[in-house]
Amino acid sequence: MFINKFTTGLIAGSILGAAGLAVMGNDKKTRRRIMKDGRKIMAKANDLVQDITDIVK
C-alpha cells in the first residue's frame, strides 16, 4: 500500500505531538529520563540507517 509523503508527515506529526503532550504531563525528573532515553534510541536508529544505506550502495 502506497502512502504519499503528506499523509506520512501528518501521521508522524500527530504521533510526535501526542508524545510531546504525554511527556509534558510528567514531573521534571521523569522528563529528563525520557529525553535521555530518547536521545540514545535516536542515535541507535541513526547508526542503523547509515549502516543500511552503506550496505545498499
Side-chain angles (χ1 to χ4, degrees):
M1 185 170 114
F2 177 74
I3 300 176
N4 63 21
K5 290 180 183 180
F6 174 75
T7 306
T8 304
L10 193 61
I11 292 169
S14 299
I15 292 170
L16 288 174
L21 287 175
V23 168
M24 296 310 288
N26 294 321
D27 61 343
K28 193 172 187 179
K29 183 178 178 182
T30 305
R31 278 195 303 248
R32 270 190 252 137
R33 182 181 54 81
I34 291 170
M35 292 301 290
K36 185 177 176 182
D37 293 345
R39 279 188 223 110
K40 287 180 185 178
I41 291 170
M42 289 303 293
K44 288 180 184 179
N46 188 23
D47 292 342
L48 179 66
V49 169
Q50 286 179 352
D51 290 344
I52 290 171
T53 56
D54 289 342
I55 291 170
V56 171
K57 286 182 181 180

